[in-house]
Amino acid sequence: MAARPYAVILGMMGAGKTRVGKEVAHMLHLPFADADAEIEHEVGMKIPAYFEQYGEPAFREVEADVIADFLEDFEGIFSLGGGAPMTPSTQRELATYIGHGGKVVYLDADPQEAMERANRGGGRPMLNGDANARWKKLYKQRDPVFHEVSNVHVHTRGLTPQGAAKKVIDMVSQRIVHVDGTAIEPYDVAIGEGAMNRLVDVLGPQPKKIALIHTQPVQRHSDRARALLRQGGYEVSDIVIPDAEPGKTITVANGIWERLGTEGFTRSDAVVGLGGGAATDLAGFVAATWMRGIRYVNCPTSLLAMVDASTGGKTGINTPQGKNLVGSFYTPAGVLADMTTLASLPNDIFIEGLGEVAKSGFIRDSEILHILEEHAGELRNFNGQAFLGSPLEDVVAELIERTVRVKAYHVSSDLKEKGLREFLNYGHTLGHAIEKLEHFRWRHGNAVAVGMVYAAELANIMGLIDRDLVDYHRSLLSSLGLPTSWNGGSFEDVLALMHRDKKARGNELRFVVLDSIGHVVHLDNPSVDDVEEAFRRIQH
């Protein structure tokens, strides 16, 4: 198998590709190669002399060959010359490299800083004449192409080479899940430390005003988002909402609409939702309804929000009659699951998120269940202060990525929950009833854990799965510190709420159950006796 670069760095002359690339290589203990230095070695003369003697077309041909060789057979950090990505054959080579999982980094420096560095460096045949005028003209031609051929965009304005290198490492090590499909505007979910650094890039140049909607407990992370937004030149309206489910009400939404109206938000402005699942649900709902839909970005800060609420375009608020009965299907421009935010999570709120992770394992990706089994003790004893940089961080990153991929699979072909997407509701029929009867004192992931045990019991009663699989639900969820039983209400109350469930059709109950791990089916209108028997089994 071909050895491919860890990352390829491109950018304008003077962007610091060589200096930053060397820093990245040094920090990661990897070799570094500079395309221009390799070309000089290949042709046996300095680039300006080669340019003068043979002309630019001959130089570009040699350059393209050298780059193609290195993209196939070099395992370090590889930096390209400023004009290299303009050559069509190099563009194709870079696309192939990205197709194999490669990271092409556009090092986007402040133009003034880059021009000064380029002038100081000298020896640049492309800047002959009025150097600044030539640089600006080349920037105008090259910037759109650099955006096109790269899949990681790093702004370096005001950063030292070491600071820029750290930012490159953070962004290159992130996991990206691309979500697309019929009726979906494609978007990416970025998972990893520093994912929030992509905020300005995802919002783009059109918005002038940004409503930053967040809860009080995530103030530290909202401060970071606000700083990034202001650096990006946006006008920021800071909107604090109540934490958890009390933030998901029509009263809170109305208060935000009033603010947006007073502050002159137009259709071209945008919303950033930052916080747990309830905060991102509400922010998405506000974005979907303001002027019939404005751009929004999700920055989930809890494990549950990263794996569940932030992906898939479900937005909504609660009413006195139930959860999420008012809402909209509206996809974000991007989701930034910055894992540094998990370091501030209390243990019980982290564990709650594992309920939705396990659900994705049961309904589609059994490897999730194996990872949960293997690391159950470490996950159950999660300690935010010791999390970043620990071996557990990579385990959690993989669990988030796999869970998001399961969700993306179900939503990409069924945005509006007419078929396949309903399978994501495994464990939710009873789970939502528990949340309502507990007045939302029970956290969503915990309620879903009990709901999955209930669904497994019901499937066992109906002859769809054996006792071993029911027991496996109980043992795995218990080993993670999740609840598997509930005693907080009567069957009559639960049954009434199940009839109001979004999956119910007319007066008939409808459940999502397994007939084997990774395979989900609908169970339509089971007898009330069977539904009650399954309920009795989860009461102890």
Side-chain angles (χ1 to χ4, degrees):
M1 193 172 141
R4 299 185 183 276
Y6 181 83
V8 174
I9 298 178
L10 53 88
M12 284 297 292
M13 291 171 287
K17 299 183 294 294
T18 303
R19 180 72 198 277
V20 173
K22 281 180 176 171
E23 286 288 348
V24 171
H26 174 71
M27 289 177 183
L28 294 173
H29 308 292
L30 289 171
F32 174 76
D34 179 282
D36 285 352
E38 299 300 329
I39 292 162
E40 290 183 341
H41 179 71
E42 177 84 14
V43 300
M45 62 171 80
K46 293 287 182 190
I47 286 172
Y50 192 89
F51 242 81
E52 203 170 314
Q53 196 169 333
Y54 299 103
E56 189 183 352
F59 169 75
R60 294 298 176 201
E61 212 169 292
V62 175
E63 180 182 57
D65 287 346
V66 167
I67 289 169
D69 288 346
F70 269 75
L71 288 177
E72 289 266 314
D73 194 22
F74 178 66
E75 287 187 286
I77 305 299
F78 185 38
S79 139
L80 306 190
M86 305 303 285
T87 305
S89 65
T90 297
Q91 290 172 9
R92 289 192 292 275
E93 293 287 350
L94 289 172
T96 302
Y97 165 70
I98 287 174
H100 286 96
K103 299 293 171 79
V104 176
V105 179
Y106 175 15
L107 212 56
D108 192 356
D110 174 64
Q112 207 52 49
E113 289 173 18
M115 277 190 280
E116 281 168 21
R117 275 199 297 266
N119 290 340
R120 277 201 307 272
R124 299 179 189 270
M126 297 301 289
L127 292 184
N128 289 342
D130 180 344
N132 281 1
R134 293 277 299 141
W135 193 97
K136 285 174 184 166
K137 188 178 177 192
L138 287 169
Y139 178 73
K140 209 171 172 185
Q141 292 165 358
R142 292 176 179 179
D143 177 61
V145 176
F146 291 173
H147 273 279
E148 188 71 29
V149 301
S150 62
N151 59 348
V152 178
H153 189 179
V154 179
H155 294 274
T156 64
R157 180 185 306 235
L159 293 177
T160 62
Q162 293 80 6
K166 174 76 174 81
K167 193 169 178 182
V168 168
I169 290 167
D170 280 349
M171 292 182 75
V172 164
S173 64
Q174 286 161 22
R175 298 158 181 261
I176 306 292
V177 179
H178 187 64
V179 184
D180 61 7
T182 47
I184 286 182
E185 207 55 49
Y187 62 95
D188 286 337
V189 181
I191 303 151
E193 282 191 46
M196 212 187 282
N197 287 327
R198 297 173 180 263
L199 191 51
V200 170
D201 218 38
V202 177
L203 285 165
Q206 192 187 26
K208 299 290 174 276
K209 294 185 171 77
I210 307 293
L212 176 59
I213 299 173
H214 65 94
T215 57
Q216 195 60 51
V218 297
Q219 188 69 47
R220 201 170 90 210
H221 310 309
S222 64
D223 288 347
R224 167 103 183 98
R226 193 180 312 105
L228 288 166
L229 292 168
R230 289 198 173 133
Q231 276 170 14
Y234 303 110
E235 209 179 296
V236 185
S237 293
D238 199 64
I239 300 174
V240 185
I241 61 167
D243 193 25
E245 300 299 331
K248 276 179 65 170
T249 66
I250 191 68
T251 312
V252 174
N254 189 50
I256 298 174
W257 291 323
E258 285 177 3
R259 283 253 336 240
L260 300 185
T262 306
E263 293 175 22
F265 270 69
T266 67
R267 182 165 281 169
S268 61
D269 293 320
V271 165
V272 172
L274 187 144
T280 55
D281 275 0
L282 176 87
F285 180 66
V286 167
T289 49
W290 184 254
M291 301 230 165
R292 298 191 179 90
I294 63 174
R295 194 171 184 82
Y296 86 108
V297 176
N298 269 333
C299 296
T301 60
S302 70
L303 178 60
L304 182 79
M306 288 179 185
V307 297
D308 184 32
S310 62
T311 306
K314 265 189 183 180
T315 75
I317 54 174
N318 302 331
T319 65
Q321 287 69 40
K323 258 193 99 169
N324 299 324
L325 294 176
V326 175
S328 165
F329 291 98
Y330 189 66
T331 49
V335 177
L336 307 177
D338 193 325
M339 289 185 57
T340 54
T341 64
L342 297 181
S344 57
L345 278 193
N347 172 274
D348 60 330
I349 298 187
F350 175 83
I351 284 174
E352 170 211 7
L354 295 173
E356 283 285 351
V357 174
K359 178 202 76 179
S360 293
F362 281 121
I363 67 171
R364 183 162 174 83
D365 179 2
S366 60
E367 183 56 30
I368 290 174
L369 303 178
H370 298 146
I371 296 169
L372 290 172
E373 273 183 76
E374 202 176 319
H375 298 279
E378 302 147 75
L379 291 163
R380 188 177 65 247
N381 295 315
F382 172 83
N383 171 6
Q385 290 175 317
F387 175 63
L388 296 176
S390 73
L392 187 62
E393 185 178 354
D394 207 48
V395 172
V396 173
E398 184 175 356
L399 287 170
I400 294 169
E401 181 186 359
R402 284 180 172 277
T403 305
V404 169
R405 286 194 189 282
V406 170
K407 185 144 195 184
Y409 164 78
H410 286 88
V411 303
S412 61
S413 55
D414 181 25
L415 178 66
K416 299 205 172 170
E417 204 162 31
K418 296 205 163 42
L420 186 65
R421 183 174 185 153
E422 276 197 344
F423 291 153
L424 289 168
N425 285 316
Y426 185 57
H428 284 56
T429 305
L430 179 67
H432 280 162
I434 290 173
E435 286 179 276
K436 182 82 177 69
L437 291 169
E438 292 283 357
H439 305 288
F440 301 111
R441 286 187 301 265
W442 263 56
R443 293 200 159 267
H444 178 70
N446 293 344
V448 166
V450 177
M452 288 190 285
V453 175
Y454 173 81
E457 291 285 9
L458 185 57
N460 173 246
I461 290 164
M462 304 302 291
L464 292 167
I465 62 173
D466 61 19
R467 190 74 229 158
D468 284 352
L469 185 45
V470 183
D471 292 343
Y472 178 61
H473 277 70
R474 288 182 184 274
S475 63
L476 177 67
L477 297 170
S478 297
S479 73
L480 296 167
L482 289 158
T484 56
S485 62
W486 179 72
N487 273 308
S490 70
F491 176 66
E492 289 67 30
D493 290 342
V494 166
L495 188 64
L497 285 168
M498 283 177 169
H499 274 290
R500 281 195 214 151
D501 181 73
K502 292 191 296 293
K503 290 182 300 304
R505 298 289 184 266
N507 201 33
E508 294 190 352
L509 289 175
R510 193 173 206 220
F511 294 89
V512 169
V513 295
L514 300 183
D515 59 9
S516 61
I517 286 180
H519 195 259
V520 199
V521 291
H522 278 121
L523 177 59
D524 289 323
N525 212 27
S527 77
V528 173
D529 287 348
D530 290 337
V531 172
E532 186 169 12
E533 170 58 18
F535 180 70
R536 196 184 57 72
R537 292 184 185 181
I538 59 107
Q539 288 185 293
H540 48 79

